[in-house]
Amino acid sequence: MTDAIACTGLAYAFGDTRAVDGLDLTVREGEVFGLLGPNGAGKTTAIRCVTTLLPVPPGMVAVLGHDAARDRMAVRRLLGYVPQQLSADQGLTGRENVSLFARVFDVPRRERAARVAQALAAVDLTDAADRLAGTYSGGMVRRLELAQALVSAPRLLILDEPTIGLDPIARTGVWEHITAVREATGMTVLVTTHYMDEADQYCDRVGLMHRGRIRALGTPVELRQGLGERRGASATDPLPSLEDVFRDVAGSGLDDTSGDFRDVRSTRRTAQRVG
Ligand SMILES: Nc1ncnc2c1ncn2[C@@H]1O[C@H](COP(=O)(O)OP(=O)(O)OP(=O)(O)O)[C@@H](O)[C@H]1O
């Protein structure tokens, strides 16, 4: 089976900052894969390389068998992307927002209305579809963005911190919709999150990224058992949490020196606008 994403020695630098530094990563078709890591680990940069928004040399990134450098348009057609920054226009209704994406992604004119309605229904926004997005709650806005990404029926859905700034109930709502769409369509989902409990509950596999590379990879249970064994825990001891694994891998990455001004500013701005 072709992998949904294959990154081989992926590297990307902003000046002297090596944001992604030799990333090897395979995401299998049909799985929900969580990319975790402290602020500044390189998650968003890696995602932007996969989505072709940042240019990479041939051979570093393939999406469903298409090289991101050689076959950029094919890659773009296969994926739906919900960035950290909000992409919905608050002056348009939910339906208008999704229709705009349908046009941009060349959904055939005859099918457009039905596909827009289907995408809105998939995220439970049918009743609110004709209200201005500016009147939506934070959770509804995130679901609307999910509908925008789904309307082109992508085979790979990429979500950068889809639940940031949401309350626990809205977070659960977003995840339940992601899970339901994945089950209905079999699409692959790559998601970044800082919420370890979400990764533990909803991701089939997770990769912990630190300083531009994957430092641990596996199912949440495998990673938690692995840490338990390294600590010499007995079979009856409770498993360490995914957060313990994260601290073990990222170590100093979780102290006050992780990330920089830009990271804090962008995270706050996103959280404020969603919340
Ligand atoms: N446009 C840019 N210009 C300069 N440096 C950048 C730019 N984008 C990212 N960086 C730097 O690259 C590194 C990786 O950033 P990136 O946003 O990929 O991390 P991240 O893991 O997504 O972080 P977060 O969890 O805060 O979103 C950081 O040191 C960041 O400051």
Side-chain angles (χ1 to χ4, degrees), residues 14 17 19 37-46 84 161 194 260 262-263 267:
F14 297 99
T17 307
N39 290 131
K43 305 177 298 293
T44 299
T45 306
Q84 247 179 59
E161 301 200 28
H194 284 287
D260 59 16
R262 197 195 59 84
D263 299 322
T267 306

